[in-house]
Amino acid sequence: MKWRQGVAGREKKEAKLDEIDRCIVECMRENSRVTMKEIGSRVFLSAQAVRNRVERLEDLGILQRYTVNVNCSVFGYRVHALVRGQFSQSDCAFFVGLCTRDKCRILHSYRLTGSRSTFFDIYFLNMEVMRNILGKMEERVPLQVDIVLEESSLPELNA
């Protein structure tokens, strides 16, 4: 697989990912806190050789962020919703302004193709807060809202 990545001010690099690179990425997808030594034992490299490959994958933009998934319900956010609408840039700013940390948490936002151009993955404190915020937003933009009933894990695709 060839990967082209351009970074502002830098020339685009082209890299070929081998099976070891793919295995390193998969190890880190499974557990981003895995040690270089643990990965090394799976790909038969030293921890330093793995670190060098990880740094190269970061430089190429293949590995971009190391994140923590937070269980929002532990912090009192009880309603998980997926919100779609045709948001202008000012509408997005208005919506984000409504979503203060004491009322809701936006996990992700995506610009999409098609008639519903923006998608938000968001947690609200409760149904009343959600209705209040989305009611104010619907004065500006028609919304499609889906409440998440439960999260489910995908089956292992490469098992």
Side-chain angles (χ1 to χ4, degrees), residues 8-21:
R10 284 197 216 161
E11 190 175 307
K12 288 185 179 182
K13 296 179 182 180
E14 188 172 309
K16 292 181 182 176
L17 300 181
D18 61 17
E19 273 311 303
I20 293 173
D21 291 331

Side-chain angles (χ1 to χ4, degrees), residues 75 77 96-106 125:
F75 294 95
Y77 299 98
V96 170
L98 291 174
C99 294
T100 59
R101 290 219 191 267
D102 61 331
K103 295 180 182 173
C104 56
R105 295 276 305 183
I106 298 173
L125 278 179

Side-chain angles (χ1 to χ4, degrees), residues 5-60:
Q5 176 66 32
V7 179
R10 284 197 216 161
E11 190 175 307
K12 288 185 179 182
K13 296 179 182 180
E14 188 172 309
K16 292 181 182 176
L17 300 181
D18 61 17
E19 273 311 303
I20 293 173
D21 291 331
R22 287 186 189 88
C23 189
I24 290 170
V25 170
E26 191 55 38
C27 288
M28 296 185 81
R29 283 181 54 153
E30 291 170 9
N31 176 7
S32 63
R33 296 181 60 165
V34 66
T35 66
M36 298 300 126
K37 183 177 179 180
E38 290 171 310
I39 296 172
S41 69
R42 288 179 64 178
V43 298
F44 306 104
L45 292 175
S46 69
Q48 184 58 51
V50 171
R51 170 94 269 12
N52 292 344
R53 282 180 175 251
V54 167
E55 287 174 356
R56 181 176 144 271
L57 293 168
E58 289 170 345
D59 288 344
L60 291 169

Side-chain angles (χ1 to χ4, degrees), residues 81-93:
L82 306 175
V83 179
R84 289 180 288 280
Q86 289 182 315
F87 291 79
S88 68
Q89 199 166 9
S90 64
D91 292 331
C92 280

